[in-house]
Amino acid sequence: MPSLTATEFEAERPHLLAVAYRMLGSRAEAEDAVQEAWLRYAKARDGGEIHDPRGWLTTVTGRICLDVLKSARVSRTAYPGQWLPSYVVEPDAGPDARAEMSDQVGLALLVVLEKLSPEQRVALVLHDAFGMPFEEVATVLGTTESAARQHASRGRRAVAQDTIRHTADLAEQRKVLGAFLEAANGGDLQALAALLAPDVVAIGDGGGLIPGVGSRPILGAEKVSRFYLGIAAGLADVQVETVLINGSLGLLARGRHANGRPLFSVLAVAIDNGRITGFFNQLNPSKLELRDLG
């Protein structure tokens, strides 16, 4: 296969962005990683023929992401408050429509992947999500094939055991979110708590820009339900609509708090067996990619 031109590289960009975003959880970082991969490709191409451009670019993108993840372990400890991945937010296509979300990966999974080691995350994404053979995964990680398998296995086991579970289809998501809004708006603590898994977690990312966002997750059905009832009681002139957040239903709220402070919040949820297992409230505008929203 001949080397890619810049135009032909653009056809590979969506694939590479999908790889990088699953590894990094940040659209901006993913775009930077892919651009760096292209610069390295252009330099290597000038020195000789590359027989498998997509494979070469995927491998290099993986290496770049591994380096970013290792450095992120340091930089994210200095991040102000809690950290969540960036969101892709699109209009809700409605109960009778099927949105094309093939380029998306669920927020719940990204939050769980954030708990893995860099090596586990890279191995799991490359092998399980994109089918890269372990021999090539080992090349990305700079280790043996056996070690690459172990990293993926440990990552897979950690994902399976995590309490943040998201198995609901769009119909179930719509039903549970509707009940959540009804209970929150009605101030019904008992009804709200009944919608939450006992080990539910609530995480909010304000990026240091939004006051009132705690530095630690809120854990447990009682604490989380009381927290959201308190939030609902402190809002005024707020419009709430369902949206698609990385392919799953969530809520977009805009308006103002009762004290006059403006509100623009995107709330993603994880739902399993009819109950909410996780709330992921993104208030950092730099982490919101809004598509076709009024």
Side-chain angles (χ1 to χ4, degrees):
M1 180 177 179
S3 297
L4 298 176
T5 64
T7 300
E8 290 168 335
F9 170 75
E10 290 304 314
E12 298 294 336
R13 185 183 291 274
H15 162 74
L16 298 173
L17 282 174
V19 171
Y21 179 53
R22 282 163 173 79
M23 291 185 190
L24 301 176
S26 165
R27 287 277 164 181
E29 290 179 347
E31 289 170 356
D32 289 345
V34 171
Q35 187 60 29
E36 175 63 22
W38 164 246
L39 294 175
R40 295 187 188 183
Y41 173 84
K43 184 176 180 180
R45 178 192 58 190
D46 293 340
E49 185 178 359
I50 296 175
H51 298 287
D52 178 14
R54 168 175 274 213
W56 193 96
L57 285 163
T58 301
T59 295
V60 171
T61 298
R63 288 173 176 164
I64 294 169
C65 289
L66 179 62
D67 291 340
V68 172
L69 285 171
K70 289 178 177 179
S71 64
R73 291 283 166 169
V74 177
S75 63
R76 286 177 186 169
T77 59
Y79 187 81
Q82 303 172 74
W83 189 95
L84 285 171
S86 59
Y87 291 14
V88 178
V89 187
E90 302 180 278
D92 177 9
D96 298 323
R98 292 185 175 273
E100 291 294 332
M101 301 297 295
S102 59
D103 65 331
Q104 303 305 331
V105 57
L107 253 299
L109 177 58
L110 287 175
V111 171
V112 174
L113 289 176
E114 188 64 23
K115 302 176 184 181
L116 305 184
S117 73
E119 292 81 5
Q120 290 171 356
R121 185 167 184 170
V122 169
L124 189 64
V125 168
L126 288 178
H127 181 267
D128 286 24
F130 294 96
M132 179 178 282
F134 278 117
E135 181 181 2
E136 297 177 21
V137 174
T139 300
V140 174
L141 297 178
T143 188
T144 64
E145 182 176 343
S146 176
R149 289 181 181 275
Q150 289 182 351
H151 285 308
S153 177
R154 289 168 182 165
R156 197 179 298 119
R157 186 162 55 249
V159 169
Q161 293 174 348
D162 199 276
T163 59
I164 299 175
R165 304 167 299 279
H166 183 54
T167 59
D169 60 19
L170 287 176
E172 184 178 0
Q173 293 170 34
R174 196 175 301 279
K175 178 180 178 181
V176 172
L177 273 178
F180 167 76
L181 284 174
E182 182 178 354
N185 291 334
D188 191 334
L189 178 63
Q190 186 175 359
L192 186 58
L195 291 168
L196 310 184
D199 52 5
V200 64
V201 58
I203 303 171
D205 183 345
L209 305 172
I210 309 298
V213 179
S215 59
R216 294 179 180 275
I218 302 171
L219 304 174
E222 182 178 353
K223 289 183 179 180
V224 171
S225 57
R226 291 186 182 277
F227 171 77
Y228 278 107
L229 282 184
I231 292 292
L235 299 179
D237 295 333
V238 172
Q239 293 182 333
V240 179
E241 60 183 294
T242 57
V243 290
L244 287 171
I245 306 170
N246 288 48
S248 291
L249 279 180
L251 301 173
L252 168 62
R254 39 189 160 187
R256 64 182 179 85
H257 295 268
N259 61 9
R261 184 164 52 88
L263 169 71
F264 192 94
S265 169
V266 180
L267 180 66
V269 298
I271 299 172
D272 175 66
N273 208 21
R275 291 188 173 186
I276 299 174
T277 64
F279 291 94
F280 316 111
N281 195 8
Q282 186 57 268
L283 300 110
N284 185 347
S286 68
K287 289 187 174 183
L288 295 172
E289 181 181 338
L290 307 178
R291 297 179 178 178
D292 302 319
L293 291 173

